[in-house]
Amino acid sequence: MVDTIIRDISREDIIRLAIFLALIILLNWGIKRIAQLTAAKQSRWFQKALPIIDSLADWITFYGIIILLLLTFSKNDWLFYTLYTHGEVEVTALLIVIAFLIVSLAHRLVKLFNKYILSSVYDYYGVDRGLGYTFNQIIYYIVMFAALAVSLTSVGINLTAIGAVFGVLGIGIGFGMRNVAGNFVSGIIILFERPIEVGEIIQINEKVGRVEKIRLRSTIIRTAKEGTLIVPNQYFIEQIIKNRTSARMMAQVRVSIAFGIDTEVVQALLEQAATEIKEKENGILDSPEPDIRFVDFNSRAMEFLIEIPVVNFEIKEKIESKMRHMAAAIFIKNNIQLPSIPFQIIDKSEPPFGNEG
């Protein structure tokens, strides 16, 4: 096959191909260079359009190289050889390449349109970030489904037959993939109902993070400590999720002390520690003031809750750690005892999990 391709190309064709490849690459570099030099002297609007120009230059290079290769190999019979026939459609390698270009071009165009065109429209009309993200996702999936349909139809694949095949397969694997289907449907519900939106701060299982991306099957949550969480969309529909976006972010520390200690003294010391942290650390709000409360007691301990308002969830755990260090140092300095855990004697005469057999 390779020998046949090379045999059908003359030396002049190879030289012409190399020259045009060099020209296309040089054109790409020239467009980007001129755009950068012009953006440095022009208005802010032109500087904002610079990424669009760079993307267009890359597109010209990519599609120009593909078209150049197709023109170079246009004399080869293998490019027009009929791979299979479906009805009146004779599918060739050239037709498959064209189908691929349709999908690729649709993907690039819709990404560019959403990122640079619609984002400006959203800013102009004051559309919030979450709603704009929902519109972008809906437009992207509609365009890509349409592009795939056109591509598959152009290569002679019957979409009705594909639908029937997937219907039969769906009956067989429906039970095994019900979680996938549930997450998919939940993703659509989230995009339309918007119970959570991109950029919002939510709490999941005592972990606080910011919503970065909502996909059809899962949602990406970025936390300060645990890193990235990939949460199935069905979780947001079935579970109770705390939305912390509009709530005041608080660094919270619970402290337990033993009985017999003056609680007024403990509260005064904790207030002093919170005040020192507020003066030394960045990211703590001026209002409201840190709040220290005697919240509970049980058979072995008395509990205090310290709450310090912070600017965001990234600083929350840092302040909590500082507060624990400060409380420990104050307790040691003032001989304040923590509650002791009663020692338990384990009877080894019996197995820890009961009798076997």
Side-chain angles (χ1 to χ4, degrees):
M1 182 70 177
V2 178
D3 294 338
T4 303
I5 296 174
I6 297 176
R7 192 185 311 119
D8 292 338
I9 300 177
S10 64
R11 181 178 301 177
E12 291 77 9
D13 292 333
I14 296 176
I15 295 175
R16 191 183 302 110
L17 175 63
I19 293 174
F20 278 106
L21 284 175
L23 289 175
I24 291 174
I25 296 174
L26 184 62
L27 178 63
N28 177 281
W29 178 84
I31 292 175
K32 291 184 177 181
R33 184 61 179 171
I34 294 173
Q36 291 174 356
L37 294 176
T38 307
K41 303 177 182 179
Q42 295 296 327
S43 63
R44 183 179 178 183
W45 180 89
F46 193 89
Q47 294 177 355
K48 191 174 182 179
L50 185 60
I52 303 178
I53 298 174
D54 289 342
S55 297
L56 290 175
D58 292 335
W59 291 12
I60 293 172
T61 303
F62 176 75
Y63 293 107
I65 291 175
I66 292 180
I67 293 173
L68 180 61
L69 291 174
L70 291 177
L71 292 175
T72 303
F73 294 111
S74 61
K75 300 178 182 179
N76 293 60
D77 294 335
W78 64 269
L79 195 60
F80 302 94
Y81 178 77
T82 302
L83 300 177
Y84 66 92
T85 302
H86 188 277
E88 298 180 356
V89 179
E90 295 182 353
V91 180
T92 62
L94 177 62
L95 198 58
I96 293 177
V97 172
I98 293 175
F100 166 77
L101 291 179
I102 291 174
V103 177
S104 174
L105 184 61
H107 169 76
R108 291 171 179 267
L109 284 175
V110 72
K111 285 290 186 182
L112 181 66
F113 180 75
N114 287 344
K115 185 175 182 180
Y116 297 109
I117 306 300
L118 283 185
S119 61
S120 300
V121 175
Y122 298 152
D123 293 338
Y124 181 80
Y125 288 101
V127 178
D128 64 86
R129 184 182 177 187
L131 181 59
Y133 180 85
T134 301
F135 286 154
N136 288 348
Q137 291 296 96
I138 293 173
I139 292 172
Y140 175 79
Y141 289 124
I142 291 175
V143 171
M144 291 308 298
F145 281 140
L148 285 172
V150 172
S151 300
L152 294 176
T153 304
S154 65
V155 295
I157 298 177
N158 193 332
L159 297 181
T160 305
I162 291 180
V165 171
F166 276 106
V168 175
L169 291 176
I171 297 175
I173 63 177
F175 290 100
M177 296 186 65
R178 61 181 179 272
N179 288 335
V180 176
N183 290 323
F184 180 84
V185 174
S186 299
I188 296 176
I189 293 174
I190 291 174
L191 287 175
F192 279 95
E193 290 191 355
R194 299 165 58 211
I196 59 171
E197 299 179 7
V198 173
E200 290 188 334
I201 298 173
I202 62 175
Q203 181 175 341
I204 300 176
N205 294 333
E206 305 303 323
K207 298 179 179 65
V208 179
R210 179 176 284 109
V211 180
E212 282 200 345
K213 184 180 293 185
I214 301 175
R215 302 183 297 193
L216 283 183
R217 197 196 64 84
S218 61
T219 297
I220 308 300
I221 310 295
R222 173 74 63 178
T223 65
K225 182 177 179 181
E226 290 83 7
T228 300
L229 302 179
I230 302 176
V231 185
N233 286 331
Q234 202 166 358
Y235 183 89
F236 296 100
I237 304 300
E238 298 177 348
Q239 304 295 327
I240 298 176
I241 305 298
K242 296 181 180 180
N243 194 324
R244 297 287 189 180
T245 304
S246 58
R248 184 181 294 113
M249 185 62 61
M250 289 286 185
Q252 295 181 331
V253 175
R254 281 186 174 269
V255 176
S256 298
I257 61 172
F259 277 107
I261 300 174
D262 190 340
T263 56
E264 296 290 343
V265 172
V266 173
Q267 177 147 346
L269 291 173
L270 292 176
E271 289 175 352
Q272 177 187 347
T275 302
E276 291 183 14
I277 289 178
K278 182 177 179 180
E279 294 174 352
K280 295 179 180 179
E281 299 295 330
N282 296 323
I284 299 178
L285 298 176
D286 294 331
S287 178
E289 293 294 327
D291 186 24
I292 292 86
R293 302 193 305 274
F294 181 15
V295 294
D296 198 7
F297 59 88
N298 52 48
S299 59
R300 292 194 300 269
M302 298 181 292
E303 292 188 358
F304 287 80
L305 176 63
I306 308 166
E307 291 185 334
I308 303 176
V310 294
V311 293
N312 53 46
F313 79 96
E314 285 87 357
I315 202 70
K316 175 178 179 292
E317 293 189 350
K318 177 183 176 182
I319 299 301
E320 289 175 347
S321 176
K322 293 287 185 180
M323 187 64 216
R324 293 187 183 99
H325 283 296
M326 186 72 72
I330 288 178
F331 288 171
I332 293 174
K333 182 178 179 180
N334 294 273
N335 295 320
I336 296 177
Q337 301 294 322
L338 299 181
S340 58
I341 300 175
F343 180 74
Q344 296 181 352
I345 300 177
I346 300 176
D347 187 2
K348 297 183 179 180
S349 61
E350 293 183 2
F353 299 104
N355 295 327
E356 300 181 356

